[in-house]
Amino acid sequence: ATLQLQESDKSLYKEVTVQETEQNQADYAVIDVREPDELESSGEMPHAANLPLGYVLGPNGRKDAYIQNLPKHRPVLVVCRAGIRARLAAEQIAGWGFGNVDVLKGGYIAW
């Protein structure tokens, strides 16, 4: 199945480049939505919480302790391998009331 996003969904988050994230790096709460085996094979993002996409989109994602303790005003950077899954997760996270959600354009590959 192909993951599809509606054009209107993009208003919930914005895509940022690696250079843009470097300017705000200390402020971001980074959420990596790759699967644990992907982290083992390709590496981890520094200071990132690993919450796989299926978990974020599932019934327990919103209840996760990391999400519950994250201030809603804090900027969130969502990362996956290439950027597709991060967009879906960003839409979900923004729907939980986080007002500043960014997606790393090109994902971990770009980083």
Side-chain angles (χ1 to χ4, degrees):
T2 304
L3 301 175
Q4 294 282 327
L5 284 174
Q6 303 299 321
E7 196 61 36
S8 62
D9 294 338
K10 289 188 173 183
S11 63
L12 298 172
Y13 63 87
K14 70 179 188 287
E15 290 188 293
V16 294
T17 64
V18 172
Q19 291 76 20
E20 289 171 307
T21 65
E22 288 170 351
Q23 296 167 356
N24 300 322
Q25 191 172 13
D27 299 325
Y28 277 122
V30 182
I31 299 176
D32 190 332
V33 297
R34 294 178 294 157
E35 295 297 321
D37 61 325
E38 291 178 87
L39 301 182
E40 290 174 21
S41 65
S42 59
E44 296 182 30
M45 293 282 294
H47 312 292
N50 179 227
L51 302 175
L53 178 64
Y55 179 75
V56 170
L57 297 180
N60 293 320
R62 183 181 204 147
K63 301 172 192 166
D64 184 83
Y66 181 81
I67 296 293
Q68 290 291 313
N69 291 315
L70 203 57
K72 297 272 196 248
H73 65 274
R74 184 159 178 208
V76 176
L77 178 66
V78 187
V79 179
C80 67
R81 189 179 75 80
I84 307 285
R85 289 174 288 174
R87 292 183 207 139
L88 292 169
E91 181 184 337
Q92 180 80 346
I93 293 165
W96 294 336
F98 290 89
N100 187 359
V101 181
D102 294 344
V103 169
L104 182 61
K105 193 174 200 169
Y108 185 80
I109 293 171
W111 185 79

